């Protein structure tokens, strides 16, 4: 049975153009800086984010870890949201491997942290305290329903960071979704930050890879951290080639994913047994609740799987569906029909 795969946009498939580019990519040893395809991807990524330099890495997790290792020293502190991916889903890597202390602040439902909370969390110079070195934002915000952070908010955090001599990193795993949803260029969203990472392997459809972008000096130092983590990838042009296709051909179509997410949320909002506010869906991530008592989130996910629809149980009553290439509007309608069947049948075997 064909499965409509909505668990994550990480389950995207490479396009035919990506597979062709991968097969034909000229390659060299990237640790020597000699892979022409990686070099092309890196200069394209720097250009698309408005930064001076960029570095190809294996994953979003590696990009965020390298960013933190590069900005912070051991015993220093990062301010980040309590629902941020870095805090929630990255094994506390910065603490485990870098001796960097996480200071979490509440994420509001729009993915922001209150500016006053951030200002109050920056440590004064006192021998008792770690030194605050970094503020970390996430755009779009995964656990906050794919909420895009506005340029005005990011600029306000950037000003605060500058006033306090602290760096700003954006986990922009889905920054191109934010850009398309807000109608704002990525450089405008990234300008207040000292560094930004984004993923090629989510909505942009590439099979592997993320890019970390920043100043030339920052990226030069980041290359040392990537290497010590075992992230020097040699003839990585074979995968970077797909990343070039992702950046040049897959950005504008993200609007289709956003429309599909909205279509899904609107359909679900009309059904008894699940709850979602379609007005809150701005990009490609739909969190929704099971509201009926005879079924919890894992049970609903299991029954949907039997109907050829894969969604993620994100909590006891919460589920997540993420749209991406090549999910179509027709797939969403088929998924909604499967939801109807499952909810109608209820907990009956
Ligand atoms: N997110 C994945 C899972 O890890 C939860 C997903 O399915 O959403 N930043 C953000 C905002 C992310 O959503 C993710 C992946 C990452 C970083 C990490 O990227 P990878 O998986 O490439 O290490």
């Amino acid at each position: 049975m064909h499965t409509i795969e909505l668990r994550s946009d990480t389950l995207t498939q490479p396009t035919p153009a990506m597979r062709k580019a991968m097969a034909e990519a000229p390659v060299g040893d990237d640790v020597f800086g000699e892979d022409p395809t990686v070099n092309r991807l890196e200069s394209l990524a720097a250009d698309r984010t408005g930064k001076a330099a960029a570095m190809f890495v294996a994953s979003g997790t590696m990009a965020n870890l390298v960013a933190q290792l590069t900005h912070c020293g051991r015993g220093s502190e990062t301010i980040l949201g309590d629902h941020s991916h870095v805090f929630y889903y990255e094994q506390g890597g910065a603490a485990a491997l870098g001796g960097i202390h996480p200071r979490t602040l509440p994420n509001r439902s729009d993915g922001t942290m209150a500016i006053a909370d951030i200002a109050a969390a920056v440590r004064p110079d006192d021998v008792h305290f770690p030194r605050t070195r970094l503020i970390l934002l996430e755009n779009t915000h995964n656990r906050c329903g794919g909420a895009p952070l506005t340029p005005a908010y990011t600029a306000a955090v950037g000003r605060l960071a500058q006033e306090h001599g602290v760096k700003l990193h954006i986990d922009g795993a889905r920054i191109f979704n934010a850009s398309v949803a807000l109608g704002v260029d990525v450089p405008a969203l990234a300008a207040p930050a000292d560094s930004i990472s984004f993923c090629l392997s989510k909505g942009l459809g590439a099979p592997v890879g993320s890019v970390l972008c920043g100043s030339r000096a920052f990226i030069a130092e980041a290359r040392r951290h990537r290497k010590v983590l075992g992230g020097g990838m040699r003839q990585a042009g074979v995968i970077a080639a797909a990343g070039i296709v992702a950046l040049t051909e897959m950005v504008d179509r993200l609007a289709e994913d956003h429309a599909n997410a909205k279509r899904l949320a609107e359909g679900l909002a009309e059904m008894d047994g699940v709850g979602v506010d379609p007005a809150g869906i701005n990009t490609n991530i739909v969190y929704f609740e099971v509201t009926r008592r005879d079924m919890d989130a894992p049970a609903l996910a299991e029954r949907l799987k039997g109907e050829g629809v894969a969604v993620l149980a994100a909590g006891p009553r919460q589920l997540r569906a993420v749209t991406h290439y090549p999910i179509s509007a027709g797939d969403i309608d088929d998924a909604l029909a499967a939801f109807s069947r499952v909810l109608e049948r209820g907990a009956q075997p």
Side-chain angles (χ1 to χ4, degrees):
M1 187 187 5
H2 163 69
T3 296
I4 301 169
E5 183 50 80
L6 298 171
R7 282 175 297 170
S8 178
D9 47 8
T10 60
L11 287 127
T12 184
Q13 289 285 318
T15 64
M18 287 177 186
R19 289 187 184 274
K20 183 165 187 295
M22 292 172 80
E24 293 171 2
V27 295
D29 188 330
D30 180 48
V31 176
F32 285 78
E34 291 173 9
D35 187 303
T37 309
V38 172
N39 292 344
R40 246 182 83 210
L41 171 65
E42 290 178 345
S43 72
L44 186 63
D47 184 56
R48 294 292 157 95
T49 54
K51 299 297 182 198
M55 177 179 72
F56 186 44
V57 292
S59 66
T61 302
M62 183 181 270
N64 288 329
L65 177 57
V66 167
Q68 291 175 89
L69 293 173
T70 309
H71 286 306
C72 307
R74 296 187 74 80
S76 61
E77 190 166 74
T78 296
I79 296 173
L80 74 178
D82 58 352
H83 283 283
S84 62
H85 194 278
V86 169
F87 179 67
Y88 219 95
Y89 291 123
E90 297 181 14
Q91 270 194 43
L97 306 179
I100 300 161
H101 194 231
R103 175 86 179 270
T104 55
L105 299 176
N107 270 127
R108 300 180 291 194
S109 60
D110 64 356
T112 63
M113 299 174 272
I115 299 283
D117 287 357
I118 303 175
V122 177
R123 305 273 196 168
D125 187 10
D126 181 309
V127 73
H128 297 88
F129 298 148
R131 288 190 169 119
T132 308
R133 288 274 191 242
L134 183 67
I135 301 169
L136 215 143
L137 297 178
E138 184 175 315
N139 195 8
T140 65
H141 201 292
N142 182 346
R143 285 180 57 85
C144 295
L149 303 184
T150 63
Y153 174 76
T154 310
V157 177
R159 276 194 300 276
L160 194 155
Q162 266 193 350
E163 277 161 28
H164 291 89
V166 170
K167 303 292 185 194
L168 173 61
H169 172 69
I170 299 176
D171 172 359
R174 299 184 180 83
I175 196 72
F176 288 92
N177 294 84
S179 162
V180 167
L182 297 168
V184 173
D185 285 347
V186 171
L189 296 169
D194 298 282
S195 58
I196 181 165
S197 52
F198 70 86
C199 293
L200 297 160
S201 60
K202 298 191 169 62
L204 298 183
V208 189
S210 293
V211 189
L212 178 62
C213 309
S215 69
R216 277 183 215 292
F218 169 81
I219 291 298
E221 192 59 20
R223 287 192 191 281
R224 293 188 61 84
H225 292 292
R226 181 184 69 173
K227 187 70 175 73
V228 78
L229 294 174
M233 291 193 289
R234 309 299 177 185
Q235 285 74 25
V238 288
I239 48 178
I244 293 171
V245 177
L247 273 178
T248 51
E249 294 181 11
M250 300 293 280
V251 172
D252 292 343
R253 64 155 303 286
L254 292 173
E256 192 183 324
D257 294 343
H258 300 173
N260 284 338
K262 193 71 135 186
R263 187 184 190 93
L264 179 68
E266 283 168 355
L268 290 178
E270 285 177 8
M271 292 182 198
D272 285 336
V274 286
V276 60
D277 177 13
I281 310 302
N282 296 303
T283 60
N284 67 332
I285 299 180
V286 181
Y287 278 95
F288 57 100
E289 307 281 328
V290 202
T291 52
R292 56 194 293 160
R293 288 286 125 203
D294 62 348
M295 225 191 262
D296 60 7
L300 177 55
E302 195 53 38
R303 284 181 163 81
L304 284 166
K305 203 167 133 196
E307 296 285 330
V309 176
V311 295
L312 201 71
R317 306 212 67 83
Q318 194 185 44
L319 296 112
R320 187 185 79 162
V322 187
T323 55
H324 54 88
Y325 175 85
I327 301 289
S328 65
D331 289 330
I332 297 298
D333 293 342
D334 291 347
L336 286 168
F339 270 94
S340 280
R341 286 195 298 277
V342 165
L343 291 169
E344 231 155 76
R345 225 181 292 137
Q348 316 296 327

